[in-house]
Amino acid sequence: MDKAPDAFRTISEAAEELNVPQHVLRFWETRFTQIKPMKRAGGRRYYRPADVELLKGIRGLLYAEGYTIRGVQKILKEDGVAYVAAVGRGEIVARKRDGEMEGAPPPGMAKAAPRLGKPAPGKAPLAREPVAPPPRLSTSHVDNLKAALRDLGDARKLLDPAAR
C-alpha cells in the first residue's frame, strides 16, 4: 500500500524511496544537522515529506554531482535547505563545484593509472624513461584533497571500531 505524499515515512520507507541503506540515513543525521526526523518512544524515526526532499537533495549532491560531505555542508550553510531540497526535486541544477578542474573527468570516470611493478615471468623488465616532475597543485586543490582525506578518516572511524 502506497502512502500519501504528505505522510510521514519510517526510516525503512525513506531508505527505500532514496535507494540507500538505513545506516546511511543515520550517518547523514550525524553529518547534517538540518536532518531532524521526529523520534518517538524507543527512538523510532519518522521523516516528514520536507525531510525526504532534503535527503533526496543530499543524495543527489553526493552521488550524482560528486560532492563530498563537507561540500554539501558548505552548500547547506551558504544556500540553505530550500536550495538543496529543490535540487532533490529536480527543480534546479546544482551549481558548479568550487575549484573544479577544467577538463577533468566527472567523479568515478577517471582511467586507472598504469600499474608498475615486477614484469610477468618470461617478460623483459620495462625500461624506465625519465619522468618529468608532476605539475604543482593549486592551493584550492590541495585544500580539497585535505578535506576529502579528513572525510575519509571520519568515515573510517565510524565504520571501523579498531580505528577509534
Side-chain angles (χ1 to χ4, degrees), residues 31 150-164:
R31 293 295 179 245
R150 283 191 299 272
D151 288 345
L152 287 170
D154 292 344
R156 181 174 184 211
K157 288 177 187 172
L158 285 172
L159 297 172
D160 185 4
R164 291 181 187 172

Side-chain angles (χ1 to χ4, degrees), residues 19-76:
N19 197 26
V20 297
Q22 293 177 25
H23 71 267
V24 170
L25 297 180
R26 289 187 204 99
F27 173 73
W28 287 352
E29 280 182 46
T30 68
R31 293 295 179 245
F32 304 108
T33 57
Q34 297 84 355
I35 301 172
K36 298 175 189 154
M38 282 184 35
K39 290 188 183 176
R40 296 286 187 200
R44 188 171 171 100
R45 291 166 170 81
Y46 288 93
Y47 293 90
R48 300 169 191 88
D51 296 327
V52 175
E53 287 180 358
L54 174 60
L55 289 166
K56 284 180 182 177
I58 290 171
R59 183 203 58 205
L61 291 170
L62 290 171
Y63 294 173
E65 300 297 326
Y67 280 90
T68 62
I69 287 177
R70 186 159 283 142
V72 176
Q73 288 170 336
K74 183 177 178 184
I75 290 173
L76 282 164

